[in-house]
Amino acid sequence: MSQVHVIDHPMVQHKLTIMRDKETGSKDFRQLLEEISLLMGYEITRDLPLENKEIETPICKMTAKKVRGRKLAIVPILRAGMGMVKGIQTLVPVAKVGHIGLYRNETTHEPVVYYCKLPEDIQERLVIVTDPMLATGGSACDALKMLKERGCKNIRMMCLVAAPEGIERVQREHPDVDIYVAAIDEKLNEDAYIVPGLGDAGDRIFGTK
Ligand code: PRP
Ligand code: URA
């Protein structure tokens, strides 16, 4: 069974509260999401393996540390997942970025795939899938399945707000994928929106409503 990591750092919680507020506009919403993503990225990369590297400082030679192996790939689920990319890139500028385009059918709430472009060597990388909202878990599970079909073995899911239903579904269908969230909310409503949630993340990021 995968682990669920709730990033309860006070600065993450403070910024998330401002994001949830319906009075917060797109510009601040985007900025806060980027800041939280950087802070969450710090936690999600906490256990990356290190190796030794011989270097020379201006003073002397030393054995220093560097991250071992191929590095990261960030894979946002379009559209809203895009809002979490820049924050992680600030932390890991060499990370490659793939894109998976999915939207929820408004009636059935089932995800519909419309785009997939991934780095060629993605199967050799630690993949961080980003999507601010984990509601029914349908979009996340489809994205994870697509990545596994392309050989990815080391995947982590990074969300801002999750419903218990979404977490259960990802854990059931992808027990090897750890989930990182800033908050686990109460439930889904009849439209499969997270309650209390923050509304439609894509619309709030891109100002489309
Ligand atoms: C939202 C969100 C997730 C999905 C979550 O995207 O960003 O991708 O819904 O819902 P689920 O867990 O029930 O699948 P949406 O389909 O609204 O598309 P958008 O990002 O383009 O706005
Ligand atoms: N997608 C969103 O953007 N918000 C929700 O609450 C659920 C799905």
Side-chain angles (χ1 to χ4, degrees):
M1 175 67 75
S2 69
Q3 284 188 6
V4 180
H5 306 260
V6 180
I7 312 300
D8 59 0
H9 189 286
M11 290 317 300
V12 171
Q13 296 304 315
H14 179 84
K15 290 172 193 290
L16 174 58
T17 298
I18 305 172
M19 290 184 73
R20 286 184 190 272
D21 191 330
K22 66 178 186 184
E23 301 301 333
T24 300
S26 271
K27 179 172 169 287
D28 289 341
F29 191 90
R30 272 198 309 275
Q31 176 68 36
L32 289 158
L33 183 58
E34 186 182 322
E35 290 168 10
I36 291 180
S37 303
L38 192 156
L39 295 168
M40 290 185 73
Y42 184 77
E43 287 300 326
I44 213 166
T45 54
R46 178 177 284 283
D47 62 349
L48 288 188
L50 294 172
E51 64 185 10
N52 289 338
K53 181 176 180 177
E54 305 302 323
I55 59 163
E56 200 166 343
T57 76
I59 309 298
C60 66
K61 290 186 175 176
M62 75 169 286
T63 305
K65 301 285 180 198
K66 69 188 276 279
V67 173
R68 175 153 53 86
R70 292 266 181 172
K71 300 193 177 66
L72 292 184
I74 309 165
V75 178
I77 300 179
L78 306 179
R79 296 174 294 169
M82 283 295 293
M84 303 181 91
V85 172
K86 208 166 151 206
I88 308 174
Q89 276 181 318
T90 303
L91 193 66
V92 190
V94 295
K96 298 222 169 155
V97 181
H99 297 87
I100 293 181
L102 287 173
Y103 68 88
R104 292 200 312 178
N105 177 296
E106 284 184 8
T107 316
T108 63
H109 307 137
E110 288 298 317
V112 181
V113 180
Y114 61 87
Y115 188 73
C116 182
K117 180 79 181 169
L118 301 169
E120 270 182 3
D121 59 355
I122 189 141
Q123 64 286 344
E124 294 165 32
R125 293 174 177 265
L126 165 62
V127 181
I128 300 177
V129 179
T130 63
D131 194 332
M133 309 310 278
L134 182 61
T136 65
S139 306
C141 283
D142 277 17
L144 294 170
K145 187 160 164 270
M146 288 165 72
L147 289 166
K148 287 181 183 177
E149 284 167 357
R150 287 157 178 80
C152 299
K153 290 174 204 68
N154 191 5
I155 314 176
R156 296 176 183 186
M157 183 81 215
M158 180 165 141
C159 305
L160 187 63
V161 180
E165 294 89 331
I167 289 182
E168 276 164 32
R169 180 159 172 190
V170 172
Q171 286 193 307
R172 191 172 60 247
E173 294 185 23
H174 298 282
D176 54 315
V177 176
D178 278 4
I179 304 167
Y180 292 73
V181 290
I184 302 173
D185 277 9
E186 203 184 312
K187 59 180 181 184
L188 295 177
N189 68 14
E190 57 284 359
D191 295 321
Y193 272 80
I194 300 174
V195 179
L198 48 73
D200 189 304
D203 282 339
R204 295 194 67 186
I205 292 168
F206 296 106
T208 37
K209 249 184 202 149

